[in-house]
Amino acid sequence: MSKGEEKSGGVPRHLRISRPSDWVVRWAGLVKPKGTVLDVAAGGGRHARLFVDMGHSVTLIDRATEALSEFREHKHAEVIQADLEDGSPWQLGPLAGRRFDAVVVTNYLYRPIFENLIGCLEDGGVLIYETFARGNEAFARPRNPDHLLKSGELIERVSNKLQIVAYEHGLDETASCPGVISRICAIKDLGQGAREDLEPAPHDIS
Ligand SMILES: C[S@@+](CC[C@H](N)C(=O)[O-])C[C@H]1O[C@@H](n2cnc3c(N)ncnc32)[C@H](O)[C@@H]1O
């Protein structure tokens, strides 16, 4: 059980956190209007709620979808129950061939699907990723290195594939889920600029 899954009163900790991540809120504005958003390991849907409220259509995927009933009948939401770690969703499964204007991942790490996460971005699509990093084990769960990013790892993983708009790494005690955290916002527009050198257009970081 990871840090986000600690239970209190029978309710896993991650389902008791309804406040969206400040990092996701900060970069959500870069997603194109009325875009499509994939919320990976959506948990209680705190980020799906944010994007639906902003007018986007959201696909939520998680192996446990009991907490996502509010999205089941929502005309701008789609709930997929699937195991992200058995290879099925992107191969012959419900995400096969699909593309999104944004992919959002928070407090979840399964390294083998990283290429899938980047691969399912539309041109111009935004990856917003935030999860715990090495060093967090000194404070709290998750402590398993498989669930902890290395410093700079998010940069390496998107390097030469996405334009990095913002990156942070360090201890954040005021985050919705405090701990040692790595975060990135990156956009699939490398080499797509109108300029002669093909540099992508700058994004609004104010
Ligand atoms: C710590 S919670 C984070 C939830 C949400 N992203 C958030 O930040 O509020 C981790 C989520 O990953 C999901 N998860 C863990 N392993 C999974 C797997 N193999 N396939 C699909 N979902 C998985 C859990 O069900 C849980 O909802």
Side-chain angles (χ1 to χ4, degrees), residues 2 4-5 14 39-44 46-47 62-64 82-85 106-108:
S2 75
E5 294 171 301
H14 68 273
D39 187 354
V40 176
R46 61 185 174 132
H47 297 121
D62 202 294
R63 68 180 173 194
D83 187 341
L84 288 157
E85 299 174 16
T106 59
N107 299 350
Y108 177 76

